[in-house]
């Protein structure tokens, strides 16, 4: 399934001194919901570190649509194309919520930061390595049934962004059904039907972006359904 950065946000690896250096050298910027932080083929001059809000990373499809590759939140970073020598972005980055606050960090600042705080370079390397593992898992998930993929996406969202209340997890989903379809590689109608199936199974309660999720039961369903 697509990437939802779960438990390895960049900021968790940084010391208070690292964070202070970062804030001083790379002041944050604010983006409105729906505002492009960068577009496909823009110059890849900066990576961005998210302080608040959520960002969707998308790639254009051959039919003129978009495929949502990842949804990122506080502590995550994106736009790291230039670290691998690419001059242009191969994706779009768009603010998914209102507002998104993120710090742009250019290559010169990266070099300055890592020279002053070597632990930042180690943190970047750790997150990049874990993203490779996520992409491998994403490829494996493409053969799962759509309902399992939708359930897996909701599960990952709930683990990353949900609020645990008693034995359930409340989730405010910031994606429309159409965007969720672009996230799991399906169609809006199929995703709507899949959500209905998950409700019928008692794994998910709610609609219109407000859900109550039985995480242990949903996790068991997704793991079982993925091998059917």
């Amino acid at each position: 399934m697509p990437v939802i950065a779960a438990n390895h946000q960049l900021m968790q690896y940084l010391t208070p001194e690292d964070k202070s250096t970062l804030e001083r050298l790379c002041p944050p910027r604010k983006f409105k919901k729906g505002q492009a932080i960068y577009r496909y083929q823009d110059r890849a001059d900066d990576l961005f570190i998210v302080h608040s809000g959520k960002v969707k990373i998308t790639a254009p499809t051959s039919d003129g649509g978009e495929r949502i590759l990842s949804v990122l939140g506080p502590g995550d970073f994106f736009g790291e194309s230039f670290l691998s020598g690419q001059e242009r972005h191969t994706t779009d980055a768009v603010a998914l919520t209102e507002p998104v606050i993120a710090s742009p960090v250019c290559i010169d600042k990266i070099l300055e930061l890592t020279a002053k705080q070597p632990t930042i370079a180690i943190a970047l390397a750790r997150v990049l390595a874990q993203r490779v593992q996520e992409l491998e898992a994403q490829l494996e998930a493409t053969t799962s049934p759509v309902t399992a993929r939708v359930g897996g996406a909701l599960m990952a969202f709930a683990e990353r962004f949900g609020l645990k209340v008693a034995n359930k997890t409340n989730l405010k989903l910031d994606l429309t059904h159409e965007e969720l379809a672009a996230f799991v590689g399906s169609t809006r109608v199929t995703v709507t039907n899949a959500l209905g199936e998950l409700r019928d199974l008692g794994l998910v309660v709610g609609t219109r972006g407000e859900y109550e999720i039985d995480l242990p039961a949903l996790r068991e369903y997704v793991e079982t359904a993925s091998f059917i």
Side-chain angles (χ1 to χ4, degrees), residues 154-155 158-159 167-169 213-220:
L154 291 179
M155 179 181 72
E159 290 173 338
N167 60 340
K168 299 294 176 67
T169 301
I213 297 173
D214 184 340
L215 262 181
L218 181 60
R219 186 179 297 108
E220 182 179 357

Side-chain angles (χ1 to χ4, degrees), residues 35-45 48 56-62 64-67 69 78-79 81 86-94:
Q35 181 178 353
I37 299 169
Y38 61 74
R39 288 293 187 189
Y40 176 76
Q41 289 301 304
D42 282 354
R43 284 192 58 81
D45 294 325
F48 291 81
K56 66 176 181 177
I57 307 299
T58 70
T61 59
S62 58
E66 68 174 20
R67 177 70 191 274
L69 303 177
F78 60 94
S81 298
Q86 296 179 354
E87 295 183 354
R88 303 281 176 179
H89 287 296
T90 57
T91 59
D92 292 341
V94 179

Side-chain angles (χ1 to χ4, degrees), residues 12-227:
Q12 78 170 8
Y13 293 125
L14 303 185
T15 67
E17 185 179 359
D18 295 336
K19 294 176 183 177
S20 177
T21 301
L22 179 65
E23 291 172 4
R24 178 169 51 83
L25 294 177
C26 309
R29 293 169 54 191
K30 184 179 291 188
F31 301 89
K32 296 180 180 180
K33 181 178 180 178
Q35 181 178 353
I37 299 169
Y38 61 74
R39 288 293 187 189
Y40 176 76
Q41 289 301 304
D42 282 354
R43 284 192 58 81
D45 294 325
D46 303 286
L47 66 76
F48 291 81
I49 299 174
V50 184
H51 299 294
S52 66
K54 300 188 189 81
V55 175
K56 66 176 181 177
I57 307 299
T58 70
T61 59
S62 58
D63 60 1
E66 68 174 20
R67 177 70 191 274
I68 298 180
L69 303 177
S70 59
V71 175
L72 306 174
D76 297 322
F77 72 90
F78 60 94
E80 65 276 12
S81 298
F82 67 78
L83 294 178
S84 60
Q86 296 179 354
E87 295 183 354
R88 303 281 176 179
H89 287 296
T90 57
T91 59
D92 292 341
V94 179
L96 190 58
T97 57
E98 178 86 26
V100 165
I101 298 176
S103 291
V105 189
C106 68
I107 185 65
D108 290 340
K109 293 298 184 184
I110 288 287
L111 295 174
E112 184 177 352
L113 284 167
T114 53
K116 292 181 177 180
Q117 307 291 140
T119 49
I120 293 179
I122 296 172
L124 284 168
R126 283 178 174 174
V127 176
L128 289 171
Q130 287 164 328
R131 284 191 180 175
V132 171
Q133 295 176 346
E134 287 178 328
L135 289 172
E136 291 173 349
Q138 179 179 341
L139 287 173
E140 292 178 3
T142 57
T143 58
S144 300
V146 173
T147 303
R149 300 205 305 265
V150 172
L154 291 179
M155 179 181 72
F157 271 118
E159 290 173 338
R160 175 71 168 90
F161 302 116
L163 176 65
K164 189 170 178 58
V165 178
N167 60 340
K168 299 294 176 67
T169 301
N170 292 337
L171 172 67
K172 183 181 185 305
L173 187 64
D174 298 296
L175 299 176
T176 65
H177 283 198
E178 187 171 352
E179 288 175 316
L180 185 57
F183 192 79
V184 300
S186 186
T187 65
R188 181 184 60 79
V189 172
T190 304
V191 163
T192 299
N193 291 337
L195 286 169
E197 291 181 34
L198 294 173
R199 290 192 197 92
D200 291 343
L201 291 169
L203 303 173
V204 174
V205 177
T207 187
R208 298 186 181 278
E210 301 284 346
Y211 298 101
E212 182 182 84
I213 297 173
D214 184 340
L215 262 181
L218 181 60
R219 186 179 297 108
E220 182 179 357
Y221 168 80
V222 169
E223 291 174 353
T224 301
S226 295
F227 291 99

